PDB file of all heavy atoms in Angstrom:
ATOM      1  N   VAL W  77      33.930 120.977 168.366  1.00  0.00           N
ATOM      2  CA  VAL W  77      34.274 121.399 166.996  1.00  0.00           C
ATOM      3  C   VAL W  77      35.506 120.841 166.573  1.00  0.00           C
ATOM      4  O   VAL W  77      36.139 121.272 165.562  1.00  0.00           O
ATOM      5  CB  VAL W  77      34.319 122.946 166.949  1.00  0.00           C
ATOM      6  CG1 VAL W  77      32.856 123.522 167.036  1.00  0.00           C
ATOM      7  CG2 VAL W  77      35.191 123.600 167.977  1.00  0.00           C
ATOM      8  N   GLY W  78      36.064 119.862 167.283  1.00  0.00           N
ATOM      9  CA  GLY W  78      37.199 119.053 166.865  1.00  0.00           C
ATOM     10  C   GLY W  78      38.613 119.464 167.225  1.00  0.00           C
ATOM     11  O   GLY W  78      39.596 119.258 166.662  1.00  0.00           O
ATOM     12  N   TYR W  79      38.714 120.269 168.374  1.00  0.00           N
ATOM     13  CA  TYR W  79      40.006 120.684 168.815  1.00  0.00           C
ATOM     14  C   TYR W  79      40.206 120.224 170.239  1.00  0.00           C
ATOM     15  O   TYR W  79      39.326 120.263 171.085  1.00  0.00           O
ATOM     16  CB  TYR W  79      40.103 122.289 168.850  1.00  0.00           C
ATOM     17  CG  TYR W  79      40.170 122.862 167.434  1.00  0.00           C
ATOM     18  CD1 TYR W  79      38.887 123.149 166.833  1.00  0.00           C
ATOM     19  CD2 TYR W  79      41.287 123.033 166.769  1.00  0.00           C
ATOM     20  CE1 TYR W  79      38.931 123.720 165.532  1.00  0.00           C
ATOM     21  CE2 TYR W  79      41.291 123.587 165.492  1.00  0.00           C
ATOM     22  CZ  TYR W  79      40.142 123.891 164.870  1.00  0.00           C
ATOM     23  OH  TYR W  79      40.190 124.442 163.664  1.00  0.00           O
ATOM     24  N   PRO W  80      41.382 119.640 170.437  1.00  0.00           N
ATOM     25  CA  PRO W  80      41.692 118.964 171.743  1.00  0.00           C
ATOM     26  C   PRO W  80      41.815 119.865 172.887  1.00  0.00           C
ATOM     27  O   PRO W  80      41.828 119.456 174.085  1.00  0.00           O
ATOM     28  CB  PRO W  80      42.831 118.064 171.537  1.00  0.00           C
ATOM     29  CG  PRO W  80      43.631 118.904 170.534  1.00  0.00           C
ATOM     30  CD  PRO W  80      42.627 119.522 169.608  1.00  0.00           C
ATOM     31  N   SER W  81      42.132 121.182 172.680  1.00  0.00           N
ATOM     32  CA  SER W  81      42.403 122.153 173.750  1.00  0.00           C
ATOM     33  C   SER W  81      42.042 123.563 173.307  1.00  0.00           C
ATOM     34  O   SER W  81      41.907 123.769 172.071  1.00  0.00           O
ATOM     35  CB  SER W  81      43.966 122.101 174.074  1.00  0.00           C
ATOM     36  OG  SER W  81      44.697 122.516 172.981  1.00  0.00           O
ATOM     37  N   ALA W  84      44.829 124.786 170.921  1.00  0.00           N
ATOM     38  CA  ALA W  84      44.741 124.336 169.570  1.00  0.00           C
ATOM     39  C   ALA W  84      43.661 125.088 168.835  1.00  0.00           C
ATOM     40  O   ALA W  84      43.836 125.425 167.618  1.00  0.00           O
ATOM     41  CB  ALA W  84      44.504 122.873 169.477  1.00  0.00           C
ATOM     42  N   TYR W  85      42.514 125.441 169.475  1.00  0.00           N
ATOM     43  CA  TYR W  85      41.441 126.205 168.934  1.00  0.00           C
ATOM     44  C   TYR W  85      41.863 127.574 168.549  1.00  0.00           C
ATOM     45  O   TYR W  85      41.583 128.056 167.478  1.00  0.00           O
ATOM     46  CB  TYR W  85      40.270 126.205 169.834  1.00  0.00           C
ATOM     47  CG  TYR W  85      39.065 127.045 169.299  1.00  0.00           C
ATOM     48  CD1 TYR W  85      38.160 126.460 168.409  1.00  0.00           C
ATOM     49  CD2 TYR W  85      38.898 128.290 169.645  1.00  0.00           C
ATOM     50  CE1 TYR W  85      37.048 127.167 167.979  1.00  0.00           C
ATOM     51  CE2 TYR W  85      37.833 129.023 169.250  1.00  0.00           C
ATOM     52  CZ  TYR W  85      36.852 128.471 168.357  1.00  0.00           C
ATOM     53  OH  TYR W  85      35.825 129.244 167.898  1.00  0.00           O
ATOM     54  N   VAL W  87      44.886 128.700 167.965  1.00  0.00           N
ATOM     55  CA  VAL W  87      45.858 128.732 166.931  1.00  0.00           C
ATOM     56  C   VAL W  87      45.263 128.260 165.570  1.00  0.00           C
ATOM     57  O   VAL W  87      45.396 128.871 164.463  1.00  0.00           O
ATOM     58  CB  VAL W  87      47.047 127.791 167.259  1.00  0.00           C
ATOM     59  CG1 VAL W  87      48.015 127.751 166.049  1.00  0.00           C
ATOM     60  CG2 VAL W  87      47.775 128.402 168.424  1.00  0.00           C
ATOM     61  N   GLY W  88      44.523 127.135 165.571  1.00  0.00           N
ATOM     62  CA  GLY W  88      44.020 126.545 164.379  1.00  0.00           C
ATOM     63  C   GLY W  88      42.762 127.219 163.805  1.00  0.00           C
ATOM     64  O   GLY W  88      42.572 127.272 162.645  1.00  0.00           O
ATOM     65  N   HIS W  89      41.932 127.758 164.664  1.00  0.00           N
ATOM     66  CA  HIS W  89      40.613 128.309 164.277  1.00  0.00           C
ATOM     67  C   HIS W  89      40.632 129.862 164.217  1.00  0.00           C
ATOM     68  O   HIS W  89      40.098 130.484 163.348  1.00  0.00           O
ATOM     69  CB  HIS W  89      39.482 127.778 165.099  1.00  0.00           C
ATOM     70  CG  HIS W  89      38.119 128.092 164.581  1.00  0.00           C
ATOM     71  ND1 HIS W  89      37.564 127.555 163.453  1.00  0.00           N
ATOM     72  CD2 HIS W  89      37.187 129.031 165.067  1.00  0.00           C
ATOM     73  CE1 HIS W  89      36.268 128.052 163.267  1.00  0.00           C
ATOM     74  NE2 HIS W  89      36.143 128.992 164.183  1.00  0.00           N
ATOM     75  N   GLN W 251      47.626 107.346 161.093  1.00  0.00           N
ATOM     76  CA  GLN W 251      48.763 108.308 160.980  1.00  0.00           C
ATOM     77  C   GLN W 251      49.064 108.998 162.324  1.00  0.00           C
ATOM     78  O   GLN W 251      49.453 110.215 162.335  1.00  0.00           O
ATOM     79  CB  GLN W 251      48.523 109.330 159.918  1.00  0.00           C
ATOM     80  CG  GLN W 251      48.232 108.778 158.432  1.00  0.00           C
ATOM     81  CD  GLN W 251      47.820 109.848 157.479  1.00  0.00           C
ATOM     82  OE1 GLN W 251      47.261 110.869 157.807  1.00  0.00           O
ATOM     83  NE2 GLN W 251      48.271 109.635 156.281  1.00  0.00           N
ATOM     84  N   GLY W 252      48.820 108.268 163.371  1.00  0.00           N
ATOM     85  CA  GLY W 252      49.289 108.808 164.674  1.00  0.00           C
ATOM     86  C   GLY W 252      48.512 110.039 165.040  1.00  0.00           C
ATOM     87  O   GLY W 252      49.156 110.973 165.632  1.00  0.00           O
ATOM     88  N   ARG W 253      47.258 110.140 164.708  1.00  0.00           N
ATOM     89  CA  ARG W 253      46.429 111.393 164.954  1.00  0.00           C
ATOM     90  C   ARG W 253      45.088 111.086 165.475  1.00  0.00           C
ATOM     91  O   ARG W 253      44.469 109.968 165.128  1.00  0.00           O
ATOM     92  CB  ARG W 253      46.353 112.128 163.574  1.00  0.00           C
ATOM     93  CG  ARG W 253      45.635 113.498 163.747  1.00  0.00           C
ATOM     94  CD  ARG W 253      45.650 114.133 162.394  1.00  0.00           C
ATOM     95  NE  ARG W 253      44.652 115.241 162.223  1.00  0.00           N
ATOM     96  CZ  ARG W 253      44.370 115.880 161.096  1.00  0.00           C
ATOM     97  NH1 ARG W 253      45.019 115.426 160.015  1.00  0.00           N
ATOM     98  NH2 ARG W 253      43.456 116.790 161.098  1.00  0.00           N
ATOM     99  N   CYS W 254      44.613 111.921 166.358  1.00  0.00           N
ATOM    100  CA  CYS W 254      43.275 111.761 166.960  1.00  0.00           C
ATOM    101  C   CYS W 254      42.238 111.661 165.744  1.00  0.00           C
ATOM    102  O   CYS W 254      42.255 112.444 164.823  1.00  0.00           O
ATOM    103  CB  CYS W 254      42.927 112.825 167.830  1.00  0.00           C
ATOM    104  SG  CYS W 254      41.213 112.731 168.569  1.00  0.00           S
ATOM    105  N   THR W 255      41.241 110.716 165.929  1.00  0.00           N
ATOM    106  CA  THR W 255      40.287 110.545 164.841  1.00  0.00           C
ATOM    107  C   THR W 255      38.924 111.230 164.995  1.00  0.00           C
ATOM    108  O   THR W 255      38.106 111.084 164.194  1.00  0.00           O
ATOM    109  CB  THR W 255      40.015 109.009 164.589  1.00  0.00           C
ATOM    110  OG1 THR W 255      39.565 108.494 165.897  1.00  0.00           O
ATOM    111  CG2 THR W 255      41.255 108.325 164.193  1.00  0.00           C
ATOM    112  N   PHE W 256      38.831 112.015 166.082  1.00  0.00           N
ATOM    113  CA  PHE W 256      37.590 112.726 166.333  1.00  0.00           C
ATOM    114  C   PHE W 256      37.270 113.724 165.301  1.00  0.00           C
ATOM    115  O   PHE W 256      38.219 114.450 164.802  1.00  0.00           O
ATOM    116  CB  PHE W 256      37.598 113.378 167.743  1.00  0.00           C
ATOM    117  CG  PHE W 256      36.344 114.144 168.039  1.00  0.00           C
ATOM    118  CD1 PHE W 256      35.266 113.516 168.659  1.00  0.00           C
ATOM    119  CD2 PHE W 256      36.256 115.533 167.711  1.00  0.00           C
ATOM    120  CE1 PHE W 256      34.106 114.238 168.873  1.00  0.00           C
ATOM    121  CE2 PHE W 256      35.084 116.294 167.953  1.00  0.00           C
ATOM    122  CZ  PHE W 256      33.980 115.619 168.573  1.00  0.00           C
ATOM    123  N   ARG W 257      36.047 113.798 164.868  1.00  0.00           N
ATOM    124  CA  ARG W 257      35.598 114.782 163.764  1.00  0.00           C
ATOM    125  C   ARG W 257      34.383 115.540 164.360  1.00  0.00           C
ATOM    126  O   ARG W 257      33.559 114.951 164.926  1.00  0.00           O
ATOM    127  CB  ARG W 257      35.308 114.092 162.506  1.00  0.00           C
ATOM    128  CG  ARG W 257      36.428 113.639 161.724  1.00  0.00           C
ATOM    129  CD  ARG W 257      36.129 113.137 160.327  1.00  0.00           C
ATOM    130  NE  ARG W 257      37.234 112.648 159.573  1.00  0.00           N
ATOM    131  CZ  ARG W 257      38.055 113.443 158.915  1.00  0.00           C
ATOM    132  NH1 ARG W 257      37.782 114.716 158.711  1.00  0.00           N
ATOM    133  NH2 ARG W 257      39.063 112.863 158.219  1.00  0.00           N
ATOM    134  N   HIS W 262      35.544 118.747 160.717  1.00  0.00           N
ATOM    135  CA  HIS W 262      36.954 119.100 161.217  1.00  0.00           C
ATOM    136  C   HIS W 262      37.529 117.920 161.993  1.00  0.00           C
ATOM    137  O   HIS W 262      36.909 117.577 163.085  1.00  0.00           O
ATOM    138  CB  HIS W 262      37.062 120.414 161.891  1.00  0.00           C
ATOM    139  CG  HIS W 262      38.381 120.629 162.499  1.00  0.00           C
ATOM    140  ND1 HIS W 262      39.388 121.141 161.712  1.00  0.00           N
ATOM    141  CD2 HIS W 262      38.892 120.553 163.708  1.00  0.00           C
ATOM    142  CE1 HIS W 262      40.442 121.256 162.467  1.00  0.00           C
ATOM    143  NE2 HIS W 262      40.193 120.873 163.650  1.00  0.00           N
ATOM    144  N   ARG W 263      38.673 117.446 161.503  1.00  0.00           N
ATOM    145  CA  ARG W 263      39.283 116.346 162.338  1.00  0.00           C
ATOM    146  C   ARG W 263      40.316 116.955 163.317  1.00  0.00           C
ATOM    147  O   ARG W 263      41.081 117.805 163.033  1.00  0.00           O
ATOM    148  CB  ARG W 263      40.038 115.448 161.371  1.00  0.00           C
ATOM    149  CG  ARG W 263      40.675 114.258 162.136  1.00  0.00           C
ATOM    150  CD  ARG W 263      41.535 113.279 161.163  1.00  0.00           C
ATOM    151  NE  ARG W 263      42.188 112.279 161.857  1.00  0.00           N
ATOM    152  CZ  ARG W 263      43.001 111.398 161.347  1.00  0.00           C
ATOM    153  NH1 ARG W 263      43.057 111.328 160.005  1.00  0.00           N
ATOM    154  NH2 ARG W 263      43.628 110.483 162.089  1.00  0.00           N
ATOM    155  N   CYS W 264      40.231 116.475 164.508  1.00  0.00           N
ATOM    156  CA  CYS W 264      41.168 116.862 165.618  1.00  0.00           C
ATOM    157  C   CYS W 264      42.585 116.716 165.159  1.00  0.00           C
ATOM    158  O   CYS W 264      43.035 115.646 164.508  1.00  0.00           O
ATOM    159  CB  CYS W 264      40.902 116.106 166.910  1.00  0.00           C
ATOM    160  SG  CYS W 264      42.114 116.559 168.252  1.00  0.00           S
ATOM    161  N   GLU W 265      43.378 117.718 165.424  1.00  0.00           N
ATOM    162  CA  GLU W 265      44.756 117.674 164.887  1.00  0.00           C
ATOM    163  C   GLU W 265      45.786 117.181 165.952  1.00  0.00           C
ATOM    164  O   GLU W 265      46.995 117.174 165.715  1.00  0.00           O
ATOM    165  CB  GLU W 265      45.237 119.005 164.439  1.00  0.00           C
ATOM    166  CG  GLU W 265      44.398 119.618 163.254  1.00  0.00           C
ATOM    167  CD  GLU W 265      44.712 121.040 162.905  1.00  0.00           C
ATOM    168  OE1 GLU W 265      45.625 121.588 163.541  1.00  0.00           O
ATOM    169  OE2 GLU W 265      44.098 121.572 161.988  1.00  0.00           O
ATOM    170  N   ALA W 266      45.289 116.678 167.132  1.00  0.00           N
ATOM    171  CA  ALA W 266      46.169 116.228 168.189  1.00  0.00           C
ATOM    172  C   ALA W 266      46.979 114.990 167.735  1.00  0.00           C
ATOM    173  O   ALA W 266      46.472 114.110 167.210  1.00  0.00           O
ATOM    174  CB  ALA W 266      45.443 115.905 169.466  1.00  0.00           C
ATOM    175  N   THR W 267      48.328 115.122 168.019  1.00  0.00           N
ATOM    176  CA  THR W 267      49.180 113.988 167.692  1.00  0.00           C
ATOM    177  C   THR W 267      50.006 113.565 168.899  1.00  0.00           C
ATOM    178  O   THR W 267      50.903 112.749 168.797  1.00  0.00           O
ATOM    179  CB  THR W 267      50.176 114.321 166.585  1.00  0.00           C
ATOM    180  OG1 THR W 267      50.906 115.500 166.939  1.00  0.00           O
ATOM    181  CG2 THR W 267      49.381 114.592 165.267  1.00  0.00           C
ATOM    182  N   SER W 268      49.638 114.090 170.061  1.00  0.00           N
ATOM    183  CA  SER W 268      50.284 113.681 171.368  1.00  0.00           C
ATOM    184  C   SER W 268      49.213 113.375 172.363  1.00  0.00           C
ATOM    185  O   SER W 268      48.115 113.769 172.192  1.00  0.00           O
ATOM    186  CB  SER W 268      51.251 114.809 171.887  1.00  0.00           C
ATOM    187  OG  SER W 268      50.458 115.970 172.146  1.00  0.00           O
ATOM    188  N   LEU W 270      47.806 110.575 172.983  1.00  0.00           N
ATOM    189  CA  LEU W 270      46.710 109.729 172.411  1.00  0.00           C
ATOM    190  C   LEU W 270      46.565 108.489 173.087  1.00  0.00           C
ATOM    191  O   LEU W 270      47.463 107.907 173.738  1.00  0.00           O
ATOM    192  CB  LEU W 270      47.118 109.463 170.926  1.00  0.00           C
ATOM    193  CG  LEU W 270      47.337 110.579 170.008  1.00  0.00           C
ATOM    194  CD1 LEU W 270      47.622 110.210 168.562  1.00  0.00           C
ATOM    195  CD2 LEU W 270      46.057 111.531 170.090  1.00  0.00           C
ATOM    196  N   CYS W 293      42.602 111.527 171.398  1.00  0.00           N
ATOM    197  CA  CYS W 293      43.351 112.336 172.298  1.00  0.00           C
ATOM    198  C   CYS W 293      42.630 112.239 173.770  1.00  0.00           C
ATOM    199  O   CYS W 293      41.496 111.893 173.783  1.00  0.00           O
ATOM    200  CB  CYS W 293      43.519 113.818 171.895  1.00  0.00           C
ATOM    201  SG  CYS W 293      41.938 114.699 171.838  1.00  0.00           S
ATOM    202  N   HIS W 296      39.288 114.278 173.773  1.00  0.00           N
ATOM    203  CA  HIS W 296      38.189 113.690 173.097  1.00  0.00           C
ATOM    204  C   HIS W 296      37.766 112.256 173.431  1.00  0.00           C
ATOM    205  O   HIS W 296      36.602 111.845 173.144  1.00  0.00           O
ATOM    206  CB  HIS W 296      38.345 113.755 171.473  1.00  0.00           C
ATOM    207  CG  HIS W 296      38.244 115.162 170.954  1.00  0.00           C
ATOM    208  ND1 HIS W 296      39.243 115.780 170.277  1.00  0.00           N
ATOM    209  CD2 HIS W 296      37.218 116.071 171.120  1.00  0.00           C
ATOM    210  CE1 HIS W 296      38.837 117.000 169.962  1.00  0.00           C
ATOM    211  NE2 HIS W 296      37.652 117.143 170.391  1.00  0.00           N
ATOM    212  N   ARG W 362      54.141 110.449 169.797  1.00  0.00           N
ATOM    213  CA  ARG W 362      53.979 111.534 168.695  1.00  0.00           C
ATOM    214  C   ARG W 362      54.711 111.081 167.476  1.00  0.00           C
ATOM    215  O   ARG W 362      55.918 110.564 167.561  1.00  0.00           O
ATOM    216  CB  ARG W 362      54.666 112.874 169.276  1.00  0.00           C
ATOM    217  CG  ARG W 362      54.503 113.959 168.324  1.00  0.00           C
ATOM    218  CD  ARG W 362      55.225 115.181 168.909  1.00  0.00           C
ATOM    219  NE  ARG W 362      55.104 116.361 168.028  1.00  0.00           N
ATOM    220  CZ  ARG W 362      54.113 117.153 168.136  1.00  0.00           C
ATOM    221  NH1 ARG W 362      53.170 117.021 168.993  1.00  0.00           N
ATOM    222  NH2 ARG W 362      54.046 118.240 167.311  1.00  0.00           N
ATOM    223  N   PRO W 363      54.126 111.148 166.368  1.00  0.00           N
ATOM    224  CA  PRO W 363      54.725 110.624 165.087  1.00  0.00           C
ATOM    225  C   PRO W 363      55.872 111.566 164.639  1.00  0.00           C
ATOM    226  O   PRO W 363      55.882 112.731 165.034  1.00  0.00           O
ATOM    227  CB  PRO W 363      53.517 110.703 164.102  1.00  0.00           C
ATOM    228  CG  PRO W 363      52.609 111.822 164.608  1.00  0.00           C
ATOM    229  CD  PRO W 363      52.834 111.759 166.106  1.00  0.00           C
TER     230      PRO W 363
END
Side-chain angles (χ1 to χ4, degrees):
V77 293
Y79 292 89
S81 65
Y85 177 84
V87 173
H89 188 74
Q251 301 177 328
R253 179 179 167 187
C254 178
T255 57
F256 178 87
R257 288 187 180 275
H262 173 77
R263 181 179 175 183
C264 177
E265 299 177 0
T267 56
S268 63
L270 299 182
C293 65
H296 285 125
R362 184 184 180 89

